């Protein structure tokens, strides 16, 4: 996936000239370039996010893959695992800017995303979980707070279930255990559009990824620019591999084995993975807490400030 490490993107310039909020100005047109257009961030956070965007990528290897990752900040280790079609930068740049003063934020890109390169095999949750663990090992980090978003929630849950000694606390955001009939229909549509009409797929992701109010607030020009950046910046072949996993995935049997203190968060206006899936995760994990954010599916980009507050509040109750 392409990365933007230079000056303000055309979309960010456009939105700034339209008098958009500073949260809208934290657009990062990289990887799967869904932009952080609705968070009410201050100037210092915007500058911090821009600095993080420019930082150098790190790499490690595991099972023939060259795994890319980013490490920012100081304090207890917090690993952020991205979702389908995203990477650590596009999903979590704004959140990292908000948390890296107090946490060492580690953002791996698993296979099919970012600068990670592998042999192109069919993906499994175990294979991707091993790549996240390899990143932790490369940094010499034994125990972490672990946050997984969307497909990343399944990967994080797998790590927590299989390696309870390595997870201090677990946050599962907008996740699901296995596709029901509606999710299966959606993921099949994604698969078909990636193969046949990527422009339609870019529009669909924006339409279903953000809450109606957030998307409408960008204006016609902002939405059109975001569609074009998504179309140009996505790693469509990598995303197709991840969608294939979305269709096959089933982690229901591992959920009762999770021991770490767990927060499961759904998104009230989520039209990609409706919050009923997150509620089901919370029921299946012993002593898990459930919360909601008033956002669409792409909460880390739509309202990273609200998510950061929720993460801080939960982690403050977990030992380091």
């Amino acid at each position: 996936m392409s990365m933007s490490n230079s000056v303000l993107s055309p979309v960010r310039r456009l939105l700034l000239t339209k008098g958009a909020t500073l949260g809208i100005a934290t657009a990062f047109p990289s990887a799967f370039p869904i932009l952080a257009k609705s968070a009410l961030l201050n100037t210092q956070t915007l500058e911090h996010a821009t600095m993080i965007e420019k930082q150098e990528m790190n790499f490690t290897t595991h099972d023939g893959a060259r795994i890319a990752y980013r490490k920012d900040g100081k304090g207890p280790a917090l690993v952020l695992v991205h979702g389908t079609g995203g990477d650590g930068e596009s999903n979590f740049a704004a959140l990292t800017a908000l948390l890296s003063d107090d946490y060492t934020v580690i953002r791996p890109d698993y296979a099919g995303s970012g600068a990670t390169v592998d042999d192109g095999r069919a993906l499994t949750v175990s294979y991707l979980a091993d790549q996240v663990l390899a990143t932790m090992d490369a940094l010499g980090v034994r125990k972490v707070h672990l946050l997984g978003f969307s497909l990343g929630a399944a990967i994080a849950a797998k790590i927590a279930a299989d390696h309870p000694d390595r997870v201090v606390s677990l946050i599962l955001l907008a996740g699901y255990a296995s596709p029901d009939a509606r999710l299966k229909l959606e993921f099949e549509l994604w698969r078909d559009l990636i193969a046949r009409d990527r422009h339609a797929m870019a529009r669909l992701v924006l339409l279903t990824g953000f809450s109606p109010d957030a998307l409408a607030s960008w204006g016609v020009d902002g939405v059109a620019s975001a569609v074009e950046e998504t179309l140009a910046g996505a790693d469509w072949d990598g995303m197709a591999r991840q969608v294939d996993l979305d269709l096959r995935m089933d982690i229901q049997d591992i959920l009762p084995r999770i021991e770490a203190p767990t927060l499961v968060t759904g998104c009230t206006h989520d039209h990609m993975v409706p919050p009923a899936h997150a509620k089901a995760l919370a029921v299946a994990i012993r002593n898990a807490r459930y919360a909601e954010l008033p956002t669409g599916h792409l909460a880390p980009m739509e309202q990273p400030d609200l998510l950061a507050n929720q993460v801080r509040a939960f982690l403050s109750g977990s030992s380091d």
Side-chain angles (χ1 to χ4, degrees), residues 168-188:
V168 178
S169 66
L170 178 66
I171 301 174
L172 305 179
L173 172 63
Y176 70 100
S178 62
D180 61 7
R182 182 188 180 279
L183 281 184
K184 186 173 184 292
L185 182 66
E186 179 179 32
F187 295 151
E188 288 172 344

Side-chain angles (χ1 to χ4, degrees), residues 28 30-31 42 51 58 66 104-105 119 124 134 138 163 165 181 190 245-246 268 293 297 303 308 310 314 318:
F28 294 98
S30 57
N42 58 33
M51 177 185 70
N58 303 291
R66 186 171 185 254
T104 299
V105 182
D119 57 13
T124 65
H163 303 274
D165 57 322
W190 286 8
L245 174 57
D246 287 323
T268 305
L293 291 172
H297 184 72
Q303 290 287 353
Q310 186 183 82
F314 179 67
S318 301

Side-chain angles (χ1 to χ4, degrees), residues 189-206:
L189 179 60
W190 286 8
R191 178 194 61 197
D192 294 347
L193 290 178
I194 290 169
R196 303 171 188 170
D197 191 343
R198 292 173 177 177
H199 191 268
M201 180 62 186
R203 288 180 288 166
L204 179 64
V205 167
L206 292 172

